[in-house]
mmCIF file of all heavy atoms in Angstrom:
data_model
loop_
_atom_site.group_PDB
_atom_site.id
_atom_site.type_symbol
_atom_site.label_atom_id
_atom_site.label_comp_id
_atom_site.label_asym_id
_atom_site.label_seq_id
_atom_site.Cartn_x
_atom_site.Cartn_y
_atom_site.Cartn_z
ATOM 1 N N MET A 17 95.855 105.860 143.166
ATOM 2 C CA MET A 17 96.154 106.523 141.950
ATOM 3 C C MET A 17 95.027 106.393 140.913
ATOM 4 O O MET A 17 94.406 105.393 140.828
ATOM 5 C CB MET A 17 97.417 105.843 141.331
ATOM 6 C CG MET A 17 98.072 106.584 140.210
ATOM 7 S SD MET A 17 99.765 106.081 139.827
ATOM 8 C CE MET A 17 99.588 104.351 139.415
ATOM 9 N N LYS A 18 94.781 107.545 140.270
ATOM 10 C CA LYS A 18 93.717 107.589 139.274
ATOM 11 C C LYS A 18 93.941 106.553 138.153
ATOM 12 O O LYS A 18 95.105 106.455 137.688
ATOM 13 C CB LYS A 18 93.704 109.006 138.664
ATOM 14 C CG LYS A 18 92.383 109.453 138.124
ATOM 15 C CD LYS A 18 92.505 110.972 137.941
ATOM 16 C CE LYS A 18 91.508 111.528 136.993
ATOM 17 N NZ LYS A 18 91.705 112.950 136.772
ATOM 18 N N ASP A 19 92.845 105.881 137.694
ATOM 19 C CA ASP A 19 93.054 104.844 136.658
ATOM 20 C C ASP A 19 92.871 105.478 135.266
ATOM 21 O O ASP A 19 91.796 105.438 134.648
ATOM 22 C CB ASP A 19 91.976 103.762 136.883
ATOM 23 C CG ASP A 19 92.030 102.617 135.819
ATOM 24 O OD1 ASP A 19 93.091 102.589 135.131
ATOM 25 O OD2 ASP A 19 91.148 101.806 135.786
ATOM 26 N N LEU A 20 93.961 106.080 134.803
ATOM 27 C CA LEU A 20 93.940 106.799 133.500
ATOM 28 C C LEU A 20 93.649 105.872 132.332
ATOM 29 O O LEU A 20 92.923 106.247 131.422
ATOM 30 C CB LEU A 20 95.268 107.546 133.264
ATOM 31 C CG LEU A 20 95.554 108.713 134.200
ATOM 32 C CD1 LEU A 20 96.801 109.455 133.710
ATOM 33 C CD2 LEU A 20 94.414 109.636 134.402
ATOM 34 N N ILE A 21 94.216 104.673 132.376
ATOM 35 C CA ILE A 21 93.954 103.754 131.281
ATOM 36 C C ILE A 21 92.493 103.292 131.222
ATOM 37 O O ILE A 21 91.914 103.293 130.156
ATOM 38 C CB ILE A 21 94.853 102.425 131.442
ATOM 39 C CG1 ILE A 21 96.329 102.813 131.640
ATOM 40 C CG2 ILE A 21 94.628 101.420 130.306
ATOM 41 C CD1 ILE A 21 97.094 103.132 130.353
ATOM 42 N N GLY A 22 91.952 103.040 132.356
ATOM 43 C CA GLY A 22 90.527 102.670 132.476
ATOM 44 C C GLY A 22 89.635 103.767 131.965
ATOM 45 O O GLY A 22 88.591 103.493 131.389
ATOM 46 N N LEU A 23 90.016 105.000 132.229
ATOM 47 C CA LEU A 23 89.185 106.116 131.763
ATOM 48 C C LEU A 23 89.263 106.254 130.231
ATOM 49 O O LEU A 23 88.312 106.823 129.608
ATOM 50 C CB LEU A 23 89.651 107.422 132.432
ATOM 51 C CG LEU A 23 89.442 107.628 133.900
ATOM 52 C CD1 LEU A 23 90.137 108.904 134.419
ATOM 53 C CD2 LEU A 23 87.996 107.714 134.233
ATOM 54 N N LYS A 24 90.290 105.870 129.673
ATOM 55 C CA LYS A 24 90.526 105.958 128.218
ATOM 56 C C LYS A 24 89.916 104.815 127.405
ATOM 57 O O LYS A 24 89.302 104.926 126.370
ATOM 58 C CB LYS A 24 91.984 106.153 127.918
ATOM 59 C CG LYS A 24 92.360 106.235 126.428
ATOM 60 C CD LYS A 24 91.708 107.448 125.750
ATOM 61 C CE LYS A 24 91.689 107.354 124.214
ATOM 62 N NZ LYS A 24 90.639 108.145 123.658
ATOM 63 N N THR A 25 90.188 103.566 127.874
ATOM 64 C CA THR A 25 89.782 102.380 127.089
ATOM 65 C C THR A 25 89.201 101.286 128.034
ATOM 66 O O THR A 25 89.654 101.150 129.160
ATOM 67 C CB THR A 25 90.915 101.892 126.296
ATOM 68 O OG1 THR A 25 90.468 100.697 125.572
ATOM 69 C CG2 THR A 25 92.178 101.596 127.042
ATOM 70 N N GLU A 29 95.079 95.499 126.392
ATOM 71 C CA GLU A 29 96.071 95.568 125.301
ATOM 72 C C GLU A 29 96.036 94.317 124.475
ATOM 73 O O GLU A 29 96.051 94.433 123.195
ATOM 74 C CB GLU A 29 97.440 95.798 125.907
ATOM 75 C CG GLU A 29 98.488 96.348 124.973
ATOM 76 C CD GLU A 29 99.830 96.457 125.696
ATOM 77 O OE1 GLU A 29 99.930 96.203 126.838
ATOM 78 O OE2 GLU A 29 100.770 96.831 124.918
ATOM 79 N N GLU A 32 92.803 94.105 122.416
ATOM 80 C CA GLU A 32 92.803 95.116 121.302
ATOM 81 C C GLU A 32 93.703 94.635 120.150
ATOM 82 O O GLU A 32 93.339 94.716 118.966
ATOM 83 C CB GLU A 32 93.289 96.398 121.847
ATOM 84 C CG GLU A 32 93.218 97.582 120.840
ATOM 85 C CD GLU A 32 93.760 98.877 121.289
ATOM 86 O OE1 GLU A 32 93.448 99.341 122.405
ATOM 87 O OE2 GLU A 32 94.608 99.445 120.541
ATOM 88 N N SER A 33 94.887 94.110 120.500
ATOM 89 C CA SER A 33 95.815 93.637 119.474
ATOM 90 C C SER A 33 95.207 92.448 118.663
ATOM 91 O O SER A 33 95.323 92.417 117.479
ATOM 92 C CB SER A 33 97.148 93.144 120.081
ATOM 93 O OG SER A 33 97.768 94.248 120.640
ATOM 94 N N ASN A 36 92.559 93.712 116.432
ATOM 95 C CA ASN A 36 93.117 94.408 115.233
ATOM 96 C C ASN A 36 93.717 93.360 114.260
ATOM 97 O O ASN A 36 93.624 93.571 113.021
ATOM 98 C CB ASN A 36 94.148 95.397 115.695
ATOM 99 C CG ASN A 36 93.574 96.744 115.998
ATOM 100 O OD1 ASN A 36 92.675 97.237 115.237
ATOM 101 N ND2 ASN A 36 94.037 97.347 117.079
ATOM 102 N N LYS A 92 92.138 101.570 119.767
ATOM 103 C CA LYS A 92 92.521 102.186 118.523
ATOM 104 C C LYS A 92 92.427 101.167 117.442
ATOM 105 O O LYS A 92 93.227 100.219 117.408
ATOM 106 C CB LYS A 92 93.942 102.711 118.630
ATOM 107 C CG LYS A 92 94.383 103.480 117.412
ATOM 108 C CD LYS A 92 95.576 104.331 117.702
ATOM 109 C CE LYS A 92 95.888 105.336 116.608
ATOM 110 N NZ LYS A 92 96.432 104.745 115.400
ATOM 111 N N GLU B 22 102.520 111.510 140.265
ATOM 112 C CA GLU B 22 102.632 110.253 140.974
ATOM 113 C C GLU B 22 103.548 109.336 140.198
ATOM 114 O O GLU B 22 103.400 109.210 138.953
ATOM 115 C CB GLU B 22 101.293 109.634 141.154
ATOM 116 C CG GLU B 22 100.483 110.275 142.241
ATOM 117 C CD GLU B 22 99.225 109.455 142.514
ATOM 118 O OE1 GLU B 22 99.291 108.487 143.353
ATOM 119 O OE2 GLU B 22 98.201 109.764 141.935
ATOM 120 N N GLN B 34 102.678 109.936 136.549
ATOM 121 C CA GLN B 34 101.326 110.199 136.097
ATOM 122 C C GLN B 34 100.867 111.519 136.745
ATOM 123 O O GLN B 34 101.070 111.833 137.907
ATOM 124 C CB GLN B 34 100.424 109.049 136.633
ATOM 125 C CG GLN B 34 98.916 109.273 136.398
ATOM 126 C CD GLN B 34 98.078 108.061 136.679
ATOM 127 O OE1 GLN B 34 98.467 106.949 136.415
ATOM 128 N NE2 GLN B 34 97.000 108.227 137.361
ATOM 129 N N ASN B 36 97.559 113.428 137.602
ATOM 130 C CA ASN B 36 96.132 113.295 137.749
ATOM 131 C C ASN B 36 95.311 114.515 137.370
ATOM 132 O O ASN B 36 94.052 114.434 137.242
ATOM 133 C CB ASN B 36 95.809 112.844 139.199
ATOM 134 C CG ASN B 36 96.301 111.427 139.465
ATOM 135 O OD1 ASN B 36 96.473 110.619 138.550
ATOM 136 N ND2 ASN B 36 96.631 111.124 140.686
ATOM 137 N N ASN B 39 95.569 114.383 133.410
ATOM 138 C CA ASN B 39 95.362 113.034 132.815
ATOM 139 C C ASN B 39 96.376 112.689 131.750
ATOM 140 O O ASN B 39 96.048 112.405 130.597
ATOM 141 C CB ASN B 39 93.970 112.845 132.253
ATOM 142 C CG ASN B 39 92.889 112.724 133.315
ATOM 143 O OD1 ASN B 39 93.211 112.807 134.494
ATOM 144 N ND2 ASN B 39 91.686 112.399 132.909
ATOM 145 N N CYS B 40 97.654 112.744 132.143
ATOM 146 C CA CYS B 40 98.696 112.420 131.181
ATOM 147 C C CYS B 40 99.840 111.682 131.898
ATOM 148 O O CYS B 40 99.858 111.609 133.114
ATOM 149 C CB CYS B 40 99.213 113.719 130.479
ATOM 150 S SG CYS B 40 100.066 114.780 131.607
ATOM 151 N N VAL B 54 97.147 109.848 127.242
ATOM 152 C CA VAL B 54 97.090 108.413 127.549
ATOM 153 C C VAL B 54 97.213 107.508 126.236
ATOM 154 O O VAL B 54 98.007 106.599 126.165
ATOM 155 C CB VAL B 54 95.750 108.114 128.241
ATOM 156 C CG1 VAL B 54 95.553 106.553 128.517
ATOM 157 C CG2 VAL B 54 95.664 108.846 129.547
ATOM 158 N N GLN B 55 96.353 107.921 125.206
ATOM 159 C CA GLN B 55 96.405 107.108 124.004
ATOM 160 C C GLN B 55 97.764 107.137 123.360
ATOM 161 O O GLN B 55 98.221 106.162 122.713
ATOM 162 C CB GLN B 55 95.284 107.456 123.045
ATOM 163 C CG GLN B 55 95.213 108.939 122.567
ATOM 164 C CD GLN B 55 94.403 109.772 123.516
ATOM 165 O OE1 GLN B 55 94.462 109.656 124.721
ATOM 166 N NE2 GLN B 55 93.569 110.579 122.925
ATOM 167 N N LEU B 58 100.096 104.754 125.207
ATOM 168 C CA LEU B 58 99.798 103.363 124.812
ATOM 169 C C LEU B 58 100.406 103.034 123.414
ATOM 170 O O LEU B 58 101.080 101.980 123.200
ATOM 171 C CB LEU B 58 98.330 103.038 124.807
ATOM 172 C CG LEU B 58 97.663 103.182 126.142
ATOM 173 C CD1 LEU B 58 96.141 103.045 125.990
ATOM 174 C CD2 LEU B 58 98.158 102.191 127.111
ATOM 175 N N GLN B 59 100.281 103.983 122.524
ATOM 176 C CA GLN B 59 100.795 103.812 121.161
ATOM 177 C C GLN B 59 102.332 103.803 121.162
ATOM 178 O O GLN B 59 102.950 102.911 120.487
ATOM 179 C CB GLN B 59 100.308 104.926 120.253
ATOM 180 C CG GLN B 59 100.519 104.766 118.782
ATOM 181 C CD GLN B 59 99.983 103.374 118.231
ATOM 182 O OE1 GLN B 59 98.850 103.009 118.603
ATOM 183 N NE2 GLN B 59 100.774 102.618 117.576
ATOM 184 N N LYS B 61 104.220 102.854 123.586
ATOM 185 C CA LYS B 61 104.697 101.591 124.133
ATOM 186 C C LYS B 61 104.617 100.434 123.037
ATOM 187 O O LYS B 61 105.487 99.633 122.906
ATOM 188 C CB LYS B 61 103.826 101.176 125.329
ATOM 189 C CG LYS B 61 104.346 99.893 125.995
ATOM 190 C CD LYS B 61 103.423 99.293 127.031
ATOM 191 C CE LYS B 61 103.890 97.959 127.492
ATOM 192 N NZ LYS B 61 103.643 96.908 126.514
ATOM 193 N N LYS B 62 103.516 100.516 122.338
ATOM 194 C CA LYS B 62 103.372 99.478 121.199
ATOM 195 C C LYS B 62 104.456 99.617 120.235
ATOM 196 O O LYS B 62 105.088 98.600 119.777
ATOM 197 C CB LYS B 62 102.018 99.649 120.513
ATOM 198 C CG LYS B 62 100.901 98.853 121.140
ATOM 199 C CD LYS B 62 99.620 98.996 120.266
ATOM 200 C CE LYS B 62 98.437 98.808 121.158
ATOM 201 N NZ LYS B 62 97.207 99.369 120.645
ATOM 202 N N ASN B 118 97.043 98.583 138.943
ATOM 203 C CA ASN B 118 96.197 99.689 139.614
ATOM 204 C C ASN B 118 94.753 99.576 139.145
ATOM 205 O O ASN B 118 93.852 99.698 140.012
ATOM 206 C CB ASN B 118 96.802 101.056 139.164
ATOM 207 C CG ASN B 118 95.993 102.267 139.790
ATOM 208 O OD1 ASN B 118 95.810 102.308 140.935
ATOM 209 N ND2 ASN B 118 95.588 103.148 138.925
ATOM 210 N N SER B 119 94.525 99.303 137.815
ATOM 211 C CA SER B 119 93.163 99.069 137.368
ATOM 212 C C SER B 119 92.485 97.935 138.017
ATOM 213 O O SER B 119 91.309 98.019 138.442
ATOM 214 C CB SER B 119 93.146 98.788 135.826
ATOM 215 O OG SER B 119 93.712 99.916 135.157
ATOM 216 N N LYS B 122 91.670 98.790 141.664
ATOM 217 C CA LYS B 122 90.513 99.736 141.662
ATOM 218 C C LYS B 122 89.252 98.950 141.536
ATOM 219 O O LYS B 122 88.246 99.169 142.195
ATOM 220 C CB LYS B 122 90.629 100.693 140.460
ATOM 221 C CG LYS B 122 91.484 101.915 140.868
ATOM 222 C CD LYS B 122 90.571 103.118 140.913
ATOM 223 C CE LYS B 122 91.177 104.167 141.849
ATOM 224 N NZ LYS B 122 91.983 105.083 141.643
#
Side-chain angles (χ1 to χ4, degrees):
Chain A
M17 191 163 62
K18 204 166 162 186
D19 181 11
L20 293 189
I21 304 280
L23 289 174
K24 178 61 197 157
T25 176
E29 199 182 358
E32 187 186 309
S33 295
N36 272 320
K92 186 163 191 286
Chain B
E22 281 189 87
Q34 174 173 318
N36 292 334
N39 283 7
C40 67
V54 177
Q55 56 269 46
L58 296 173
Q59 192 53 48
K61 185 190 171 285
K62 269 184 205 160
N118 181 50
S119 297
K122 273 251 152 86

